[in-house]
Amino acid sequence: AFEIGRTAFHSTYYNKEDKEYSERIQSAAVLPLAFGLVPENAKKHIAAALHRYLEKEDFCLTTGFFGSRYILEALTDNGYAEDAIKILHQRKFPSWNYMLDTGATNMTESWLGLKDKDRSISMSHFALGGAFAYFFEYLGGIRIHECGAGFSSVVLEPHCFEELGHCRISYTCKKGEIISEWSFKNGQLTWNHTIPDGITAEIREPHIYRKQENQK
């Protein structure tokens, strides 16, 4: 049934000439990539289209609640991890840093943060909080194993960016604290991790991203 739906979606909305989905907006590329609606032979084209949309907006987000939740993962999973970091570093509106720079100490319902003149909006609203999941599951690489309920079994597979320098992610579960911490020194990656007793873990090779000026 899923394959039938994916085929129907792709054939309806995919523009073969431009190799992108109709609407030509960030979320129109993000959501199909995130939910497996893009056939393998079209993934590179949709990811490239998303990259173009972001370049056009100077790596500011035009996504709503749903697209913002998955954009960082969609980029990283499809060869554009550096774009995800550019989004996280962006300080112009609309961006997560812009929201925080207004004085917000939590995720707000609006990208305008405390500058939004609509005082009815929530000042503690997680709909734009998708970046937190990226911090844990991608930068820290801490994910629940598909067969491990309640963190009884985890996968550790961090994405390590030399540009960021270092990262420490921890999660306190019933068995104790799970920690994934990495840093770069003189171009060398060091990754340390802690798994509490009673939890099984699959440790995978980290993904390493060098500073762009060092790339050949």
Side-chain angles (χ1 to χ4, degrees), residues 81-107:
E82 289 81 4
D83 285 5
I85 299 304
K86 289 178 181 178
I87 291 171
L88 289 175
H89 280 157
Q90 180 60 267
R91 307 203 82 89
K92 295 194 302 184
F93 174 83
S95 67
W96 283 293
N97 277 317
Y98 181 92
M99 182 192 299
L100 297 177
D101 287 344
T102 68
T105 57
N106 204 343
M107 288 291 162

PDB file of all heavy atoms in Angstrom, residues 81-107:
ATOM      1  N   ALA A  81      24.851  18.038   4.589  1.00  0.00           N
ATOM      2  CA  ALA A  81      24.988  18.269   6.030  1.00  0.00           C
ATOM      3  C   ALA A  81      25.496  19.677   6.329  1.00  0.00           C
ATOM      4  O   ALA A  81      25.094  20.296   7.324  1.00  0.00           O
ATOM      5  CB  ALA A  81      25.929  17.228   6.635  1.00  0.00           C
ATOM      6  N   GLU A  82      26.391  20.192   5.480  1.00  0.00           N
ATOM      7  CA  GLU A  82      26.921  21.532   5.713  1.00  0.00           C
ATOM      8  C   GLU A  82      25.818  22.590   5.650  1.00  0.00           C
ATOM      9  O   GLU A  82      25.890  23.614   6.341  1.00  0.00           O
ATOM     10  CB  GLU A  82      28.012  21.862   4.685  1.00  0.00           C
ATOM     11  CG  GLU A  82      29.311  21.095   4.879  1.00  0.00           C
ATOM     12  CD  GLU A  82      29.265  19.684   4.300  1.00  0.00           C
ATOM     13  OE1 GLU A  82      28.230  19.329   3.672  1.00  0.00           O
ATOM     14  OE2 GLU A  82      30.244  18.942   4.469  1.00  0.00           O
ATOM     15  N   ASP A  83      24.792  22.340   4.838  1.00  0.00           N
ATOM     16  CA  ASP A  83      23.658  23.267   4.787  1.00  0.00           C
ATOM     17  C   ASP A  83      22.933  23.312   6.132  1.00  0.00           C
ATOM     18  O   ASP A  83      22.464  24.373   6.568  1.00  0.00           O
ATOM     19  CB  ASP A  83      22.672  22.857   3.692  1.00  0.00           C
ATOM     20  CG  ASP A  83      23.181  23.177   2.296  1.00  0.00           C
ATOM     21  OD1 ASP A  83      24.336  23.631   2.173  1.00  0.00           O
ATOM     22  OD2 ASP A  83      22.420  22.971   1.333  1.00  0.00           O
ATOM     23  N   ALA A  84      22.825  22.154   6.777  1.00  0.00           N
ATOM     24  CA  ALA A  84      22.164  22.101   8.086  1.00  0.00           C
ATOM     25  C   ALA A  84      22.898  22.967   9.103  1.00  0.00           C
ATOM     26  O   ALA A  84      22.278  23.689   9.896  1.00  0.00           O
ATOM     27  CB  ALA A  84      22.087  20.652   8.573  1.00  0.00           C
ATOM     28  N   ILE A  85      24.227  22.926   9.065  1.00  0.00           N
ATOM     29  CA  ILE A  85      25.011  23.739   9.999  1.00  0.00           C
ATOM     30  C   ILE A  85      24.869  25.222   9.673  1.00  0.00           C
ATOM     31  O   ILE A  85      24.801  26.072  10.571  1.00  0.00           O
ATOM     32  CB  ILE A  85      26.487  23.306   9.963  1.00  0.00           C
ATOM     33  CG1 ILE A  85      26.607  21.843  10.393  1.00  0.00           C
ATOM     34  CG2 ILE A  85      27.325  24.190  10.878  1.00  0.00           C
ATOM     35  CD1 ILE A  85      26.016  21.524  11.746  1.00  0.00           C
ATOM     36  N   LYS A  86      24.793  25.567   8.393  1.00  0.00           N
ATOM     37  CA  LYS A  86      24.585  26.971   8.011  1.00  0.00           C
ATOM     38  C   LYS A  86      23.252  27.486   8.553  1.00  0.00           C
ATOM     39  O   LYS A  86      23.149  28.635   8.997  1.00  0.00           O
ATOM     40  CB  LYS A  86      24.631  27.113   6.495  1.00  0.00           C
ATOM     41  CG  LYS A  86      26.018  26.945   5.897  1.00  0.00           C
ATOM     42  CD  LYS A  86      25.980  27.050   4.371  1.00  0.00           C
ATOM     43  CE  LYS A  86      27.367  26.856   3.780  1.00  0.00           C
ATOM     44  NZ  LYS A  86      27.357  26.915   2.291  1.00  0.00           N
ATOM     45  N   ILE A  87      22.239  26.630   8.509  1.00  0.00           N
ATOM     46  CA  ILE A  87      20.932  27.023   9.057  1.00  0.00           C
ATOM     47  C   ILE A  87      21.039  27.254  10.560  1.00  0.00           C
ATOM     48  O   ILE A  87      20.508  28.233  11.095  1.00  0.00           O
ATOM     49  CB  ILE A  87      19.881  25.940   8.754  1.00  0.00           C
ATOM     50  CG1 ILE A  87      19.587  25.893   7.253  1.00  0.00           C
ATOM     51  CG2 ILE A  87      18.595  26.208   9.537  1.00  0.00           C
ATOM     52  CD1 ILE A  87      18.732  24.712   6.847  1.00  0.00           C
ATOM     53  N   LEU A  88      21.730  26.357  11.264  1.00  0.00           N
ATOM     54  CA  LEU A  88      21.866  26.498  12.710  1.00  0.00           C
ATOM     55  C   LEU A  88      22.660  27.752  13.085  1.00  0.00           C
ATOM     56  O   LEU A  88      22.441  28.334  14.156  1.00  0.00           O
ATOM     57  CB  LEU A  88      22.548  25.261  13.286  1.00  0.00           C
ATOM     58  CG  LEU A  88      21.713  23.979  13.285  1.00  0.00           C
ATOM     59  CD1 LEU A  88      22.551  22.797  13.765  1.00  0.00           C
ATOM     60  CD2 LEU A  88      20.470  24.129  14.162  1.00  0.00           C
ATOM     61  N   HIS A  89      23.585  28.186  12.229  1.00  0.00           N
ATOM     62  CA  HIS A  89      24.376  29.378  12.499  1.00  0.00           C
ATOM     63  C   HIS A  89      23.681  30.671  12.079  1.00  0.00           C
ATOM     64  O   HIS A  89      24.100  31.758  12.500  1.00  0.00           O
ATOM     65  CB  HIS A  89      25.717  29.290  11.764  1.00  0.00           C
ATOM     66  CG  HIS A  89      26.726  28.431  12.458  1.00  0.00           C
ATOM     67  ND1 HIS A  89      27.781  27.833  11.812  1.00  0.00           N
ATOM     68  CD2 HIS A  89      26.833  28.038  13.755  1.00  0.00           C
ATOM     69  CE1 HIS A  89      28.508  27.132  12.664  1.00  0.00           C
ATOM     70  NE2 HIS A  89      27.946  27.241  13.847  1.00  0.00           N
ATOM     71  N   GLN A  90      22.638  30.582  11.276  1.00  0.00           N
ATOM     72  CA  GLN A  90      21.970  31.771  10.739  1.00  0.00           C
ATOM     73  C   GLN A  90      21.386  32.624  11.867  1.00  0.00           C
ATOM     74  O   GLN A  90      20.768  32.099  12.805  1.00  0.00           O
ATOM     75  CB  GLN A  90      20.860  31.354   9.769  1.00  0.00           C
ATOM     76  CG  GLN A  90      20.090  32.499   9.143  1.00  0.00           C
ATOM     77  CD  GLN A  90      20.984  33.422   8.344  1.00  0.00           C
ATOM     78  OE1 GLN A  90      21.478  34.425   8.874  1.00  0.00           O
ATOM     79  NE2 GLN A  90      21.225  33.079   7.078  1.00  0.00           N
ATOM     80  N   ARG A  91      21.583  33.930  11.767  1.00  0.00           N
ATOM     81  CA  ARG A  91      21.057  34.838  12.778  1.00  0.00           C
ATOM     82  C   ARG A  91      19.997  35.778  12.205  1.00  0.00           C
ATOM     83  O   ARG A  91      19.322  36.494  12.949  1.00  0.00           O
ATOM     84  CB  ARG A  91      22.172  35.665  13.420  1.00  0.00           C
ATOM     85  CG  ARG A  91      23.339  34.847  13.966  1.00  0.00           C
ATOM     86  CD  ARG A  91      24.102  35.589  15.043  1.00  0.00           C
ATOM     87  NE  ARG A  91      23.432  35.446  16.328  1.00  0.00           N
ATOM     88  CZ  ARG A  91      23.677  34.444  17.188  1.00  0.00           C
ATOM     89  NH1 ARG A  91      24.546  33.510  16.884  1.00  0.00           N
ATOM     90  NH2 ARG A  91      23.035  34.383  18.336  1.00  0.00           N
ATOM     91  N   LYS A  92      19.837  35.793  10.880  1.00  0.00           N
ATOM     92  CA  LYS A  92      18.822  36.647  10.282  1.00  0.00           C
ATOM     93  C   LYS A  92      17.438  36.018  10.442  1.00  0.00           C
ATOM     94  O   LYS A  92      17.300  34.824  10.678  1.00  0.00           O
ATOM     95  CB  LYS A  92      19.129  36.872   8.792  1.00  0.00           C
ATOM     96  CG  LYS A  92      20.414  37.641   8.530  1.00  0.00           C
ATOM     97  CD  LYS A  92      20.514  38.125   7.100  1.00  0.00           C
ATOM     98  CE  LYS A  92      20.436  37.003   6.096  1.00  0.00           C
ATOM     99  NZ  LYS A  92      20.633  37.477   4.704  1.00  0.00           N
ATOM    100  N   PHE A  93      16.424  36.831  10.289  1.00  0.00           N
ATOM    101  CA  PHE A  93      15.042  36.346  10.347  1.00  0.00           C
ATOM    102  C   PHE A  93      14.670  35.682   9.021  1.00  0.00           C
ATOM    103  O   PHE A  93      14.978  36.218   7.955  1.00  0.00           O
ATOM    104  CB  PHE A  93      14.098  37.518  10.622  1.00  0.00           C
ATOM    105  CG  PHE A  93      12.643  37.146  10.552  1.00  0.00           C
ATOM    106  CD1 PHE A  93      12.012  36.582  11.632  1.00  0.00           C
ATOM    107  CD2 PHE A  93      11.925  37.355   9.375  1.00  0.00           C
ATOM    108  CE1 PHE A  93      10.674  36.229  11.558  1.00  0.00           C
ATOM    109  CE2 PHE A  93      10.594  37.003   9.289  1.00  0.00           C
ATOM    110  CZ  PHE A  93       9.963  36.441  10.392  1.00  0.00           C
ATOM    111  N   PRO A  94      14.003  34.534   9.054  1.00  0.00           N
ATOM    112  CA  PRO A  94      13.630  33.744  10.231  1.00  0.00           C
ATOM    113  C   PRO A  94      14.657  32.641  10.514  1.00  0.00           C
ATOM    114  O   PRO A  94      15.074  31.935   9.603  1.00  0.00           O
ATOM    115  CB  PRO A  94      12.281  33.138   9.811  1.00  0.00           C
ATOM    116  CG  PRO A  94      12.405  32.980   8.318  1.00  0.00           C
ATOM    117  CD  PRO A  94      13.329  34.074   7.832  1.00  0.00           C
ATOM    118  N   SER A  95      15.032  32.514  11.752  1.00  0.00           N
ATOM    119  CA  SER A  95      15.990  31.479  12.150  1.00  0.00           C
ATOM    120  C   SER A  95      15.859  31.250  13.650  1.00  0.00           C
ATOM    121  O   SER A  95      15.286  32.070  14.375  1.00  0.00           O
ATOM    122  CB  SER A  95      17.417  31.900  11.804  1.00  0.00           C
ATOM    123  OG  SER A  95      17.819  33.008  12.597  1.00  0.00           O
ATOM    124  N   TRP A  96      16.435  30.165  14.115  1.00  0.00           N
ATOM    125  CA  TRP A  96      16.390  29.867  15.548  1.00  0.00           C
ATOM    126  C   TRP A  96      17.214  30.878  16.339  1.00  0.00           C
ATOM    127  O   TRP A  96      16.803  31.318  17.411  1.00  0.00           O
ATOM    128  CB  TRP A  96      16.881  28.441  15.813  1.00  0.00           C
ATOM    129  CG  TRP A  96      15.871  27.403  15.490  1.00  0.00           C
ATOM    130  CD1 TRP A  96      14.677  27.190  16.132  1.00  0.00           C
ATOM    131  CD2 TRP A  96      15.915  26.436  14.431  1.00  0.00           C
ATOM    132  NE1 TRP A  96      13.989  26.152  15.542  1.00  0.00           N
ATOM    133  CE2 TRP A  96      14.733  25.665  14.504  1.00  0.00           C
ATOM    134  CE3 TRP A  96      16.855  26.139  13.439  1.00  0.00           C
ATOM    135  CZ2 TRP A  96      14.458  24.625  13.615  1.00  0.00           C
ATOM    136  CZ3 TRP A  96      16.585  25.098  12.555  1.00  0.00           C
ATOM    137  CH2 TRP A  96      15.399  24.357  12.645  1.00  0.00           C
ATOM    138  N   ASN A  97      18.369  31.270  15.817  1.00  0.00           N
ATOM    139  CA  ASN A  97      19.177  32.259  16.529  1.00  0.00           C
ATOM    140  C   ASN A  97      18.495  33.612  16.592  1.00  0.00           C
ATOM    141  O   ASN A  97      18.615  34.328  17.594  1.00  0.00           O
ATOM    142  CB  ASN A  97      20.555  32.397  15.863  1.00  0.00           C
ATOM    143  CG  ASN A  97      21.516  31.323  16.328  1.00  0.00           C
ATOM    144  OD1 ASN A  97      21.583  31.012  17.509  1.00  0.00           O
ATOM    145  ND2 ASN A  97      22.277  30.762  15.405  1.00  0.00           N
ATOM    146  N   TYR A  98      17.783  33.981  15.520  1.00  0.00           N
ATOM    147  CA  TYR A  98      17.051  35.245  15.548  1.00  0.00           C
ATOM    148  C   TYR A  98      16.046  35.239  16.698  1.00  0.00           C
ATOM    149  O   TYR A  98      15.925  36.216  17.449  1.00  0.00           O
ATOM    150  CB  TYR A  98      16.325  35.484  14.225  1.00  0.00           C
ATOM    151  CG  TYR A  98      15.562  36.787  14.184  1.00  0.00           C
ATOM    152  CD1 TYR A  98      16.161  37.950  13.696  1.00  0.00           C
ATOM    153  CD2 TYR A  98      14.246  36.867  14.648  1.00  0.00           C
ATOM    154  CE1 TYR A  98      15.469  39.162  13.672  1.00  0.00           C
ATOM    155  CE2 TYR A  98      13.550  38.067  14.635  1.00  0.00           C
ATOM    156  CZ  TYR A  98      14.162  39.203  14.147  1.00  0.00           C
ATOM    157  OH  TYR A  98      13.472  40.396  14.133  1.00  0.00           O
ATOM    158  N   MET A  99      15.339  34.131  16.836  1.00  0.00           N
ATOM    159  CA  MET A  99      14.361  34.001  17.914  1.00  0.00           C
ATOM    160  C   MET A  99      15.026  34.201  19.272  1.00  0.00           C
ATOM    161  O   MET A  99      14.545  34.963  20.125  1.00  0.00           O
ATOM    162  CB  MET A  99      13.702  32.617  17.849  1.00  0.00           C
ATOM    163  CG  MET A  99      12.631  32.370  18.887  1.00  0.00           C
ATOM    164  SD  MET A  99      12.160  30.622  18.960  1.00  0.00           S
ATOM    165  CE  MET A  99      11.546  30.345  17.303  1.00  0.00           C
ATOM    166  N   LEU A 100      16.165  33.541  19.480  1.00  0.00           N
ATOM    167  CA  LEU A 100      16.865  33.655  20.756  1.00  0.00           C
ATOM    168  C   LEU A 100      17.445  35.045  20.959  1.00  0.00           C
ATOM    169  O   LEU A 100      17.490  35.558  22.079  1.00  0.00           O
ATOM    170  CB  LEU A 100      17.979  32.606  20.825  1.00  0.00           C
ATOM    171  CG  LEU A 100      17.523  31.151  20.790  1.00  0.00           C
ATOM    172  CD1 LEU A 100      18.725  30.212  20.778  1.00  0.00           C
ATOM    173  CD2 LEU A 100      16.610  30.824  21.966  1.00  0.00           C
ATOM    174  N   ASP A 101      17.878  35.671  19.865  1.00  0.00           N
ATOM    175  CA  ASP A 101      18.459  37.012  19.967  1.00  0.00           C
ATOM    176  C   ASP A 101      17.437  38.070  20.367  1.00  0.00           C
ATOM    177  O   ASP A 101      17.816  39.180  20.772  1.00  0.00           O
ATOM    178  CB  ASP A 101      19.122  37.409  18.643  1.00  0.00           C
ATOM    179  CG  ASP A 101      20.434  36.666  18.397  1.00  0.00           C
ATOM    180  OD1 ASP A 101      20.984  36.094  19.369  1.00  0.00           O
ATOM    181  OD2 ASP A 101      20.898  36.651  17.235  1.00  0.00           O
ATOM    182  N   THR A 102      16.155  37.773  20.244  1.00  0.00           N
ATOM    183  CA  THR A 102      15.137  38.728  20.696  1.00  0.00           C
ATOM    184  C   THR A 102      14.980  38.697  22.216  1.00  0.00           C
ATOM    185  O   THR A 102      14.229  39.495  22.774  1.00  0.00           O
ATOM    186  CB  THR A 102      13.760  38.421  20.062  1.00  0.00           C
ATOM    187  OG1 THR A 102      13.255  37.174  20.572  1.00  0.00           O
ATOM    188  CG2 THR A 102      13.856  38.374  18.543  1.00  0.00           C
ATOM    189  N   GLY A 103      15.668  37.760  22.860  1.00  0.00           N
ATOM    190  CA  GLY A 103      15.570  37.632  24.305  1.00  0.00           C
ATOM    191  C   GLY A 103      14.765  36.431  24.754  1.00  0.00           C
ATOM    192  O   GLY A 103      14.619  36.193  25.959  1.00  0.00           O
ATOM    193  N   ALA A 104      14.250  35.673  23.804  1.00  0.00           N
ATOM    194  CA  ALA A 104      13.477  34.478  24.155  1.00  0.00           C
ATOM    195  C   ALA A 104      14.377  33.459  24.851  1.00  0.00           C
ATOM    196  O   ALA A 104      15.525  33.256  24.442  1.00  0.00           O
ATOM    197  CB  ALA A 104      12.863  33.863  22.908  1.00  0.00           C
ATOM    198  N   THR A 105      13.885  32.845  25.896  1.00  0.00           N
ATOM    199  CA  THR A 105      14.632  31.809  26.608  1.00  0.00           C
ATOM    200  C   THR A 105      14.037  30.421  26.365  1.00  0.00           C
ATOM    201  O   THR A 105      14.450  29.450  26.989  1.00  0.00           O
ATOM    202  CB  THR A 105      14.646  32.095  28.121  1.00  0.00           C
ATOM    203  OG1 THR A 105      13.295  32.193  28.598  1.00  0.00           O
ATOM    204  CG2 THR A 105      15.373  33.392  28.411  1.00  0.00           C
ATOM    205  N   ASN A 106      13.091  30.369  25.455  1.00  0.00           N
ATOM    206  CA  ASN A 106      12.454  29.102  25.087  1.00  0.00           C
ATOM    207  C   ASN A 106      11.972  29.243  23.644  1.00  0.00           C
ATOM    208  O   ASN A 106      11.996  30.330  23.078  1.00  0.00           O
ATOM    209  CB  ASN A 106      11.271  28.816  26.025  1.00  0.00           C
ATOM    210  CG  ASN A 106      10.949  27.337  26.107  1.00  0.00           C
ATOM    211  OD1 ASN A 106      11.375  26.559  25.265  1.00  0.00           O
ATOM    212  ND2 ASN A 106      10.194  26.956  27.120  1.00  0.00           N
ATOM    213  N   MET A 107      11.549  28.127  23.049  1.00  0.00           N
ATOM    214  CA  MET A 107      10.966  28.200  21.720  1.00  0.00           C
ATOM    215  C   MET A 107       9.634  28.940  21.797  1.00  0.00           C
ATOM    216  O   MET A 107       8.794  28.637  22.658  1.00  0.00           O
ATOM    217  CB  MET A 107      10.748  26.795  21.154  1.00  0.00           C
ATOM    218  CG  MET A 107      12.021  26.097  20.753  1.00  0.00           C
ATOM    219  SD  MET A 107      12.776  26.875  19.326  1.00  0.00           S
ATOM    220  CE  MET A 107      14.448  26.216  19.452  1.00  0.00           C
TER     221      MET A 107
END
